[in-house]
Amino acid sequence: MVAIILIIVLVLLAVWYISSYNGLIRTRTNVQESWSQIDVQMKRRNDLIPNLVSTTKGYANYEQSTMKKVVELRNQLTAVPADDHQQTMEVSNQLSTTLRSLFALSENYPDLKANTQFTQLMEELSNTENKIAYSRQLYNSSVASLTVKIQSFPSNIVAKIHHFQESDYLQVPEEEKVAPKVNFDDFGQDK
């Protein structure tokens, strides 16, 4: 009778151990897959940038510094090591900010704003930026799930035995946390 109970306990422990290990593997794979989604969207953005820059060049010859900065950041982003997520996101954030400046140029050039190719590229890039933002949220959510499994009892025992490591969350740059200043005095006044 004691032998049967001991066998049942050992089988239950083995099932729990295997289940915990597989859950950790699944969650770590979700973190890796969600980072891959960010990477795919940034690659898509990097592929669109040369077309946008060449379309914009003809209209904004003296805005070369903005276009040059976009190209430099794109090249810098492609040179970042694949496993350096934090540096990748820092350069990506700079590129997003510079792209917004490039989009703002279209307000100064009505012909550019009316250009179908430019409009389509802007829309594609805007959609891609939205997908990158969503992918960042998914990544941080996946990291949170992995962190919970690594820190929670009893799965933390299996995590420690197999050297599972927590991943870093993607952080918002400090300058993007500052709320923009809005002056309501400028609205609704006839000049």
Side-chain angles (χ1 to χ4, degrees):
M1 181 72 146
V2 172
I4 293 174
I5 293 174
L6 186 59
I7 290 172
I8 290 172
V9 167
L10 288 175
V11 167
L12 289 175
L13 280 173
V15 167
W16 164 80
Y17 189 89
I18 291 168
S19 176
S20 292
Y21 180 79
N22 287 341
L24 285 161
I25 292 292
R26 189 176 319 105
T27 307
R28 182 177 64 190
T29 302
N30 287 342
V31 168
Q32 293 166 344
E33 190 269 338
S34 61
W35 175 258
S36 177
Q37 290 301 321
I38 293 172
D39 211 29
V40 165
Q41 294 306 323
M42 288 192 301
K43 167 81 170 98
R44 182 172 185 255
R45 178 179 61 188
N46 287 345
D47 290 345
L48 290 170
I49 287 172
N51 294 331
L52 182 69
V53 168
S54 66
T55 301
T56 307
K57 268 185 189 176
Y59 290 93
N61 287 329
Y62 68 90
E63 302 286 359
Q64 295 297 319
S65 63
T66 302
M67 290 185 281
K68 183 178 178 185
K69 183 74 172 171
V70 167
V71 172
E72 285 174 2
L73 287 169
R74 176 194 176 268
N75 293 340
Q76 188 178 347
L77 187 59
T78 59
V80 173
D83 61 344
D84 192 345
H85 297 176
Q86 201 60 39
Q87 185 180 358
T88 298
M89 293 317 304
E90 286 174 18
V91 175
S92 177
N93 290 337
Q94 291 174 18
L95 182 56
S96 292
T97 301
T98 307
L99 279 173
R100 278 180 270 200
S101 299
L102 189 59
F103 291 163
L105 288 177
S106 67
E107 298 300 320
N108 297 331
Y109 300 94
D111 291 343
L112 177 61
K113 197 173 181 180
N115 181 300
T116 306
Q117 184 179 8
F118 179 79
T119 304
Q120 288 172 344
L121 287 168
M122 276 183 51
E123 188 174 318
E124 284 292 317
L125 277 168
S126 293
N127 289 338
T128 301
E129 289 293 326
N130 290 337
K131 289 176 184 177
I132 290 171
Y134 172 77
S135 297
R136 287 177 177 182
Q137 292 170 348
L138 177 62
Y139 176 82
N140 279 346
S141 178
S142 299
V143 167
S145 295
L146 179 62
T147 300
V148 166
K149 285 188 181 267
I150 288 174
Q151 293 180 358
S152 297
F153 182 80
S155 61
N156 65 342
I157 297 168
V158 177
K160 191 171 198 125
I161 289 170
H162 293 281
H163 308 289
F164 280 84
Q165 300 292 316
E166 292 181 27
S167 295
D168 293 330
Y169 289 97
L170 297 177
Q171 303 294 321
V172 174
E174 288 301 318
E175 62 272 6
E176 290 187 24
K177 291 180 183 178
V178 177
K181 304 242 187 268
V182 178
N183 185 355
F184 288 105
D185 295 333
D186 293 340
F187 292 104
Q189 294 180 2
D190 293 343
K191 293 184 180 182

